[in-house]
């Protein structure tokens, strides 16, 4: 059975969303997780916080579509949970969690890799970086 | 051919530059996304430098430059994304 879930979360992701329990069943022999953690520096400037802004209804829809796309490409029986933070997240806190579970490891790795790359391309979420020197800037992405 | 007012949702640096979360332009419909981009650049010169890097979404789906805008659709300007 496939479990698929995607949601935006206010603030940093709680530790309960860092682990893949929600997608692990006896059908799934391979589970691959990716966590996106806020770094304390970018391009030599000390980061004090990120503020994530989302086009929320489209972001929700894009996440669901990307999970379906991934299942079509890599594993029709994929189980997957994705959560993305919106609002303020501090260095060391988790802003994104992707958990992919498949019968075997190759599909789990490939699905997780595909999802993070597609999220970077298409998820309508923007990070505003706040720096220790008092400045701030919209991230150019990566 | 009808002239209509199109509201565009703004996010991130586009919202900050415009100082508001929606802006309106008048367009002759049917109009393409490319025509909307050109009309926005003309009506809001402060946004013009950002527009070539942006995509548009119609009804929460990315739209190509030749896609047509139906009056009443939800239109959003999508600056380069930086999630994750």
């Amino acid at each position: 059975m496939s479990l698929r879930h995607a949601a935006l979360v206010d603030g940093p992701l709680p530790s309960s969303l860092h682990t893949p329990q929600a997608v692990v069943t006896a059908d799934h022999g391979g589970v691959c997780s990716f966590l996106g953690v806020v770094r304390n520096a970018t391009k030599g400037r000390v980061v004090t916080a990120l503020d994530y802004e989302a086009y929320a209804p489209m972001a929700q829809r894009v996440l669901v579509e990307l999970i379906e796309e991934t299942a079509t490409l890599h594993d029709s029986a994929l189980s997957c949970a994705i959560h993305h933070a919106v609002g303020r997240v501090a260095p060391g806190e988790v802003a994104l969690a992707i958990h992919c579970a498949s019968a075997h490891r190759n599909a789990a790795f490939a699905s997780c890799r595909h999802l993070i790359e597609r999220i970077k391309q298409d998820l309508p979420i923007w990070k505003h970086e706040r720096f220790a020197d008092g400045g701030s800037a919209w991230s150019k992405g990566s | 051919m009808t002239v209509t007012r199109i509201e565009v949702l703004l996010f991130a640096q586009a919202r900050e530059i415009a100082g508001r979360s929606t802006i309106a332009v008048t367009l002759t419909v049917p109009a393409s996304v490319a025509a909307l981009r050109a009309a926005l650049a003309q009506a809001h010169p402060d946004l013009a430098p950002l527009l070539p890097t942006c995509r548009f979404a119609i009804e929460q789906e990315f739209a190509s430059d030749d896609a047509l805008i139906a009056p009443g659709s939800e239109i959003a300007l999508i600056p380069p994304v930086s999630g994750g």
Side-chain angles (χ1 to χ4, degrees):
Chain A
M1 154 181 185
S2 296
L3 305 161
R4 293 176 188 172
H5 180 70
L8 305 182
V9 174
D10 273 327
L13 301 189
S15 57
S16 59
L17 298 178
H18 300 180
T19 54
Q21 273 84 351
V23 296
V24 174
T25 73
D27 299 330
H28 299 104
V31 180
C32 187
S33 294
F34 176 87
L35 299 182
V37 179
V38 173
R39 275 178 295 122
N40 58 10
T42 183
K43 297 185 181 79
R45 294 175 86 181
V46 175
V47 171
T48 56
L50 296 184
D51 290 319
Y52 284 97
E53 176 173 333
Y55 178 13
M58 181 173 170
Q60 173 72 38
R61 183 176 180 143
V62 166
L63 287 176
V64 170
E65 288 170 358
L66 291 183
I67 293 173
E68 294 310 310
E69 173 186 291
T70 303
T72 301
L73 285 171
H74 294 295
D75 179 8
S76 60
L78 177 71
S79 280
C80 181
I82 305 178
H83 292 90
H84 199 300
V86 292
R88 182 153 298 189
V89 185
E93 293 181 324
V94 177
L96 169 67
I98 304 171
H99 303 294
C100 293
S102 294
H104 302 287
R105 67 184 180 282
N106 282 349
F109 273 114
S111 296
C112 196
R113 180 81 214 195
H114 181 74
L115 279 164
I116 180 58
E117 298 306 329
R118 295 288 288 120
I119 282 169
K120 289 283 184 184
Q121 291 168 350
D122 277 1
L123 187 66
I125 290 185
W126 301 269
K127 62 175 75 136
H128 194 232
E129 298 164 327
R130 297 189 173 277
F131 301 110
D133 60 21
S136 66
W138 291 98
S139 169
K140 302 271 186 273
S142 54
Chain B
M1 304 278 270
T2 323
V3 174
T4 194
R5 184 170 180 274
I6 306 278
E7 289 219 337
V8 180
L9 303 176
L10 300 179
F11 297 93
Q13 56 270 61
R15 176 183 53 69
E16 204 168 79
I17 289 166
R20 53 213 148 122
S21 54
T22 64
I23 49 175
V25 285
T26 51
L27 276 180
T28 303
V29 289
S32 66
V33 165
L36 172 61
R37 194 189 299 271
L40 268 180
Q42 194 160 37
H44 300 277
D46 45 347
L47 278 177
L50 185 65
L51 289 173
T53 68
C54 293
R55 289 180 281 181
F56 284 85
I58 302 176
E59 296 294 333
Q60 301 169 14
E61 299 273 4
F62 287 111
S64 62
D65 265 14
D66 56 3
L68 293 179
I69 294 160
S73 300
E74 182 175 309
I75 311 291
L77 180 67
I78 310 287
V81 300
S82 52

